[in-house]
Amino acid sequence: MILKRFGKEPTGKRLERINNAENSQNGTFQNIEPTAVQPEDVSMFKIMKQMLNRPKTVRPSAEIPHKKADLLNINTKKPAVVWFGHSSYLLSFKGYNILVDPVFSGFASPFKFFGKSFPGTDLYQAEDFPKIDLLILTHDHYDHLDYKFLKQLRSKVLKIVTSLGVAEHLEYTTWYNHRT
């Protein structure tokens, strides 16, 4: 269901933990250092207009060079890092695998008309991955939290590290069913 892809606001004990956190104000986390999301002298309308009218030179003129690694047979006697593009990467060492922000469903958006991945950046399927000892999800933007791919990878993931709010999303979407 597409609405579930938008997640759910934290509730219960998790919401209490958020509200009691040192950097929580009025029910939301605040950056320790002030960080402007939007410049003061620019309207949201102007930002959206510029995004919709970006020049063609913003996108690569050719397919991004790539080589598909055999993730199931990585030699992990030495630390190995496989970067998949943007924020997605796999760290492997001595048989221990850490996957960070996997986005492989072809879109960094809940909508098929926006956020299509560049050719060559969505080569992998869940079956290409070894067991994942630790999955790290840094935050819930769609270019970091790929619900469709996470559902496919679910049986291979042993442990998850994420924020309280993202944990609520995972439980709501029935991807993970343990409240902490």
Side-chain angles (χ1 to χ4, degrees), residues 51-65:
M51 284 182 65
L52 293 172
N53 295 314
R54 292 183 295 176
K56 290 182 180 184
T57 56
V58 170
R59 299 187 65 79
S61 59
E63 188 170 297
I64 296 170

Side-chain angles (χ1 to χ4, degrees), residues 23-82:
N23 59 331
S24 180
Q25 294 176 6
N26 301 318
T28 62
F29 278 116
Q30 302 297 315
N31 289 334
I32 293 170
E33 294 292 324
T35 307
V37 175
Q38 177 179 332
E40 290 181 22
D41 59 339
V42 180
S43 70
M44 185 55 76
F45 175 76
K46 187 173 182 179
I47 291 171
M48 293 301 290
K49 183 178 173 185
Q50 287 178 340
M51 284 182 65
L52 293 172
N53 295 314
R54 292 183 295 176
K56 290 182 180 184
T57 56
V58 170
R59 299 187 65 79
S61 59
E63 188 170 297
I64 296 170
H66 61 277
K67 180 178 179 182
K68 187 173 181 178
D70 181 359
L71 304 177
L72 297 172
N73 294 300
I74 292 176
N75 178 355
T76 63
K77 291 178 183 172
K78 293 182 179 180
V81 178
V82 179

Side-chain angles (χ1 to χ4, degrees), residues 6 20 34 39 42 46 50 57-58 70 72 90-92 102 108 117 130 135 140 171 176 178 180:
F6 292 110
N20 292 329
V42 180
K46 187 173 182 179
Q50 287 178 340
T57 56
V58 170
D70 181 359
L72 297 172
L90 175 70
L91 305 162
S92 295
S117 62
L135 172 64
D140 63 356
E171 286 179 3
Y176 185 72
H178 178 67
T180 55

Side-chain angles (χ1 to χ4, degrees), residues 1 8 11 15 17 31-34 46-47 52 61 73-74 83 85 89 92 97 101 109 127 137 149 154 168 173:
M1 179 177 190
K8 179 178 179 259
T11 59
L15 181 58
R17 286 177 65 190
N31 289 334
I32 293 170
E33 294 292 324
K46 187 173 182 179
I47 291 171
L52 293 172
S61 59
N73 294 300
I74 292 176
W83 177 63
Y89 53 94
S92 295
N97 298 301
D101 289 340
S109 164
E127 57 267 13
L137 301 172
F149 182 76
R154 181 183 193 171
E168 190 83 25
T173 58

Side-chain angles (χ1 to χ4, degrees), residues 148-163:
K148 180 180 176 184
F149 182 76
L150 289 177
K151 277 183 67 175
Q152 296 165 356
L153 192 69
R154 181 183 193 171
S155 65
K156 295 186 175 200
V157 176
L158 301 177
K159 189 171 235 176
I160 303 167
V161 174
T162 192
S163 68

